[in-house]
């Protein structure tokens, strides 16, 4: 299976373009745009971890190391298309247009966190593993029935592929030729469980075979590979040719969440090693250095611009009142069921000091 699903790469670890046929499309502006978006994602992620450590936001789910997989794929869809993230996919949502302020508001429990800007079809992050594959497939099918050319792009981890929802989503999408791109980020672990202990399949991509879905394995740290291969899958879906499964092989440097300690279940020196080898930002930096187009001044001005954006978002977030847990009960169903009402009443009696 490993031979059948080789890892497709466009720019290798040394920053060399190994697929010369795309040379003409790879302008310096495009490379700089890739780099800037990944830099914004990385700086925001680091800031969020710091904010959590200072008690300014709640538990946070970091994605450092996975920027290329998220940014490259998000750039392959257009306004009007649909994005279905998991809790780890803020680099994708911010690239597709989610505001940094609302991204922060999610982590302080305010409902605005799940609300995208007008015209941006971004679902709130899915916390139940793999549930978003069903949403994405259903929406894609609805778009098909409405005769539009809109597509769904859905993100999920390696662990999600062991859930029933993953298989139901792929089966339904295949049978009904739903225009959906299944974007798997294989970051090696489902919390503490390494992929080899979680499944006997050697790849995630091969799981598409059973559903007759075209499937591909790519280097998820190579933003050019992610962008081009996702774009091909999106175009296919738009032409009415149905779903694609993409396995982007990547790595999360940090913990599963800020509430977890990865040194308990993996050798952290692997993460240190990857920072100097497979890091997605470093790869583009090497590419630009090879092309003699790396520019320290440009980098410094980008960092300054992004720092300002992040600081503005933080101060806007701080202007919001503290989240009220009542909101949780108000937004489950359009008309609350008696069970929800009962839970709300129970919560209110705790608040009133009666329990
Ligand atoms: C339906 C469901 N079962 C279990 C959990 C608990 N849980 C939270 S994260 C996680 C691991 C998910 O791993 P993976 O899909 O590889 O995504 P990653 O966190 O690595 O991005 C689990 C089992 C959950 N959130 N939802």
């Amino acid at each position: 299976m490993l031979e059948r699903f080789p890892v497709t790469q466009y720019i290798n670890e040394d920053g060399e373009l190994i697929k010369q046929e795309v040379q003409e499309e790879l302008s310096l502006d495009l490379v700089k745009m890739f780099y800037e978006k990944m830099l914004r994602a990385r700086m925001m992620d680091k800031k969020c971890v710091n904010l959590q450590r200072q008690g300014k936001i709640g538990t946070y789910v970091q994605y450092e190391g996975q920027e290329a997989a998220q940014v490259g794929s998000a750039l392959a869809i257009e306004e009007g298309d649909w994005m279905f993230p998991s809790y780890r996919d803020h680099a994708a949502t911010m690239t597709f247009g989610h505001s940094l302020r609302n991204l922060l508001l999610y982590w302080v429990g305010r409902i605005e966190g799940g609300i995208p800007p007008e015209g941006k079809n971004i679902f709130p992050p899915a916390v139940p593993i793999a549930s978003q594959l069903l949403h994405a497939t259903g929406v894609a099918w609805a778009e098909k029935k409405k005769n539009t050319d809109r597509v769904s792009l859905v993100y999920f981890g390696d662990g999600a592929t062991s859930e029933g929802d993953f298989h139901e989503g792929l089966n339904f999408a295949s049978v009904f030729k739903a225009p959906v791109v299944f974007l798997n980020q294989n970051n090696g672990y489902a919390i503490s469980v390494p992929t080899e202990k979680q499944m006997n399949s050697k790849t995630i991509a091969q799981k598409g075979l059973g559903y007759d879905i075209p499937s591909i394995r790519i280097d998820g740290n190579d933003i050019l590979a992610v962008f081009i291969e996702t774009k091909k899958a999106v175009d296919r879906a738009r032409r009415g040719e149905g779903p694609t499964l993409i396995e982007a092989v990547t790595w999360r440097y940090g913990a599963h969440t800020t509430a977890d300690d990865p040194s308990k279940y993996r050798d952290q020196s692997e993460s240190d090693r990857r920072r100097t080898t497979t890091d997605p930002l470093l790869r583009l930096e090497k590419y630009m250095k090879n092309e003699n187009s790396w520019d320290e001044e440009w980098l410094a001005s980008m960092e300054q611009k992004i720092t300002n954006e992040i600081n503005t978002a933080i101060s806007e977030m701080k202007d919001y009142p503290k989240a009220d847990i009542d909101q949780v009960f108000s937004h489950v169903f359009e008309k609350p069921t008696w069970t929800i009402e009962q839970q709300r009443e129970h919560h209110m009696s705790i608040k009133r000091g009666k329990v």
Side-chain angles (χ1 to χ4, degrees), residues 108-122:
V108 290
R110 290 204 56 93
I111 55 164
E112 290 85 351
I115 302 175
E118 192 73 32
K120 303 280 178 186
N121 296 330
I122 306 173

Side-chain angles (χ1 to χ4, degrees), residues 1 7 25 41 43 87 95 106 112 152 175 246 311 343 346:
M1 277 300 169
V7 174
E25 293 155 57
M43 288 173 69
Y87 46 69
T95 302
Y106 178 82
E112 290 85 351
S152 292
V175 170
I246 299 174
N311 287 341
Q343 287 171 38
H346 180 68

Side-chain angles (χ1 to χ4, degrees), residues 254-267:
H256 172 71
T257 72
T258 51
D260 162 74
D261 175 6
S263 66
K264 295 261 193 298
Y265 55 81
R266 73 176 191 198
D267 177 3

Side-chain angles (χ1 to χ4, degrees), residues 87-88 127-129 156-160 163 187 189-191 252 256:
Y87 46 69
R88 198 182 298 288
V127 179
I129 304 298
F156 52 98
D158 36 290
E163 289 279 356
N187 67 8
Y189 285 85
I191 311 185
R252 69 165 150 83
H256 172 71

